[in-house]
């Protein structure tokens, strides 16, 4: 493979003159040009340390004989965007990130890339870009936040949101809420539970695109800086061996990712992102695959919000490799897949042990024999919907109750905070899907309000929107088709009985076909007014949630 594309030939003299303007020496121009995609900014806690990660990556690239050049990627903090119009701008950034990174990388003819993401849409957006660009690429994230401590117990952002719900329900004092506010998020990094950012950083490791520890080494540990240097050095090895993302992100690698997803109890958002990333690789992930894999994959981890362990605990227990090692004891992992280490998954996990059988349950003593996510179907969601089964109270795995229907998150939260939801209810929030929202907002505020009011074991919530990885309870999202597309959810009425059977993967609106047909004739679809700019274009182009909310080309 040639070194820097611009290093030789009179025809490239104009480009070299611009590299001179950058202060590059002739020696630097002869080396492979390595783009470092930096997600650093000063508004997202998960990204405020990325400048240090990037500097370490640059050093690693230079030590290994490359010429590093940094360019940016945007990132939205879902926690800060939560509960207001800002959340409409979260999922939509995934495609902006992929598109802008593709443009920068190909316009400047980089020989290799190191992606430095951390938060929810940033990670999948850059994985999508890596597949499109397909030059040697390594991922190194900013790392997870350490858990907070309140009243002697570890805590995290999900507890903070639930504290607000408890206060509104009269179950917690303002002083107690303030204690959570001051101590729930104590360091930089992606929020400390198995929420979407950490789910995707762990799955990046499983896919083979990140080095060991990418998903779990805390942001504030010096080990994270070492990992960044190693990533910079390793991308040069991939360059020399011409190992590219499409050599790594194969169909068998995505099978591994879905399997690890089930074992780890990842965020339901992975059911949006993995299909979207696979699509860029020319691979189709049918959501029925998720149930097939779940049926044979034990759930080994109950990290927050499902339980009381955190990313720092998973790291100490041996991290993602230890989980893969447990799964491999029953032959559930494709060990022949290539990774950015230059070795196979099997070579990587050889000798890795589970150091904490309470954080990572042994394969013969799982939390459950089936995986942490379930895909449901029925007349309410003919094309599927998704629930984080591992975070559902046992008594809510099968539930039947009357619908309480709302046409927006704001309508629902107002009634929940006012005490208008009762035990047994099924809260339905519609017109929040990818096109109908637009932007498919996360519903952490209403689910946390339900939990905080003590209704988590008696009330379900169903939406064509989605849920934060911090959500727990019978929270069923991604209902497809969505309301604005004429899905059944658009025709649910207050008082309709909805039956949920998570073990059997079914969801049913107990209304006759004849009555539904009559409602389709008489109930108009609602379209939001005043949608402009990027959101308007997004709403016109986005596919449904069961397709990964990809942009239709």
């Amino acid at each position: 493979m040639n070194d820097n594309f611009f290093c030789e030939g009179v025809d490239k003299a104009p480009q070299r003159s611009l590299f001179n303007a950058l202060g590059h020496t002739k020696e630097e121009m002869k080396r492979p040009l390595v783009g470092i995609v930096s997600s650093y900014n000063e508004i997202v806690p998960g990204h405020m340390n990325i400048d240090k990660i990037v500097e370490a990556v640059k050093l690693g690239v230079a030590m290994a004989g490359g010429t590093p050049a940094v360019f940016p990627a945007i990132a939205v903090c879902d926690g800060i965007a939560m509960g207001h119009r800002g959340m409409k701008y979260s999922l939509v950034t995934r495609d902006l990130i992929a598109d802008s990174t593709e443009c920068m990388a190909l316009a400047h003819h980089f020989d290799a890339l190191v992606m430095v993401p951390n938060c929810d849409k940033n990670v999948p957006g850059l994985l999508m870009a890596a597949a499109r660009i397909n030059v040697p690429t390594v991922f190194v994230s900013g790392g997870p936040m350490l858990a907070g401590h309140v009243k002697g117990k570890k805590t995290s952002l999900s507890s903070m949101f639930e504290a607000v719900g408890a206060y509104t329900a009269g179950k917690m004092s303002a002083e107690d809420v303030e204690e959570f506010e001051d101590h729930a998020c104590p360091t930089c990094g992606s929020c400390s539970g198995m929420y979407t950012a950490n789910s995707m950083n762990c799955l990046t490791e499983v896919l083979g695109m990140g080095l060991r520890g990418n998903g779990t080494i805390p942001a504030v540990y010096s080990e994270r800086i070492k990992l960044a240097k190693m990533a910079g050095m390793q991308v040069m090895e991939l360059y020399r061996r011409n190992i590219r993302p499409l050599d790594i992100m194969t169909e068998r690698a995505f099978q591994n990712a879905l399997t690890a997803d089930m074992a780890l109890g990842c965020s339901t958002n992975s059911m949006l992102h993995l299909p979207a990333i696979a699509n860029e690789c020319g691979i189709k992930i049918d959501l029925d695959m998720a149930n097939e894999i779940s049926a044979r994959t034990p759930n080994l981890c109950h990290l927050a919000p499902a339980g009381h362990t955190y990313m720092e605990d998973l790291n100490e227990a041996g991290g993602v490799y230890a989980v893969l090692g447990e799964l491999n004891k029953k032959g559930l992992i494709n060990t022949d897949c290539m990774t950015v280490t230059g070795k196979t998954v099997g070579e990587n996990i050889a000798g890795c042990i589970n150091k904490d059988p309470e954080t990572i349950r042994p394969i013969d003593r799982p939390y459950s024999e089936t995986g942490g996510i379930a895909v449901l179907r029925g007349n309410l969601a003919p094309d599927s919907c998704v629930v984080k089964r591992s975070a559902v109270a046992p008594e809510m795995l099968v539930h039947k109750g009357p619908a309480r229907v709302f046409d927006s998150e704001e309508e629902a939260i107002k009634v929940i905070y006012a005490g208008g939801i009762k035990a047994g209810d099924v809260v339905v929030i519609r017109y929040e899907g990818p096109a109908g929202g637009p932007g498919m907002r996360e519903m952490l505020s209403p689910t946390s309000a339900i939990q905080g009011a003590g209704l988590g074991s008696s009330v379900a919530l169903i939406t064509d929107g989605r849920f934060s990885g911090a959500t727990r309870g019978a929270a069923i999202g991604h209902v497809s088709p969505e309301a604005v597309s004429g899905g059944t959810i658009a025709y649910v009425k207050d008082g309709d009985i909805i039956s949920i059977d998570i073990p059997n993967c079914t969801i049913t609106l107990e209304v006759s076909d004849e009555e539904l047909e009559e409602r389709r004739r008489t109930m108009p679809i609602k379209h939001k007014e005043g949608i402009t700019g990027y959101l308007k274009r997004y709403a016109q182009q986005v596919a449904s949630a069961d397709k990964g909310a990809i942009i239709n080309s």
Side-chain angles (χ1 to χ4, degrees), residues 112-135:
L113 296 167
V114 179
M115 307 291 198
V116 191
N118 211 28
C119 288
D120 298 34
K121 311 314 159 308
N122 204 243
V123 181
L126 289 180
L127 284 165
M128 291 163 67
R132 292 182 196 174
I133 300 160
N134 200 34
V135 298

Side-chain angles (χ1 to χ4, degrees), residues 307-493:
H308 301 289
T309 51
Y310 295 83
M311 295 305 296
E312 62 200 66
D313 302 309
L314 179 59
N315 188 60
E316 295 301 321
V320 171
Y321 279 22
V323 175
L324 295 180
E326 289 290 345
L327 293 170
N328 196 42
K329 290 176 182 178
K330 287 196 173 180
L332 296 173
I333 293 296
N334 299 314
T335 56
D336 57 345
C337 295
M338 178 53 64
T339 73
V340 293
T341 66
K343 301 177 181 178
T344 64
V345 170
E347 291 172 312
N348 287 342
I349 66 175
C352 293
I353 62 171
N354 180 358
K355 301 176 184 178
D356 182 354
E358 292 309 311
T359 297
I360 305 172
R361 288 281 184 90
I363 195 76
D364 57 0
R365 189 172 61 85
Y367 282 102
S368 66
E369 293 294 338
T370 52
I373 288 177
V375 176
L376 315 184
R377 293 182 188 270
N379 68 342
L380 185 55
D383 292 341
S384 77
C385 56
V386 179
V387 63
K388 187 170 182 174
R389 171 168 34 194
S390 60
V392 178
E395 56 268 40
M396 288 298 292
L397 290 170
V398 177
H399 180 74
K400 179 186 289 190
R404 296 295 309 279
V405 183
F406 304 95
D407 289 340
S408 71
E409 179 185 9
E410 288 85 356
E411 289 180 20
I413 197 72
K414 186 182 298 184
V415 172
I416 297 169
Y417 280 160
I421 301 300
K422 307 302 180 188
D425 285 348
V426 178
V427 176
V428 177
I429 305 177
R430 61 193 179 192
Y431 295 105
E432 292 286 4
M440 203 179 186
R441 286 192 289 183
E442 290 184 342
M443 304 288 167
L444 182 55
S445 292
T447 57
S448 297
I450 288 169
Q451 291 290 336
L455 296 171
S457 60
S458 60
V459 169
L461 195 154
I462 299 171
T463 182
D464 53 5
R466 60 196 178 93
F467 296 108
S468 166
T471 291
R472 62 189 178 104
I476 300 166
H478 308 191
V479 170
S480 301
E482 62 177 295
V484 80
S485 299
T488 306
I489 193 172
Y491 306 108
V492 181
K493 292 184 176 181

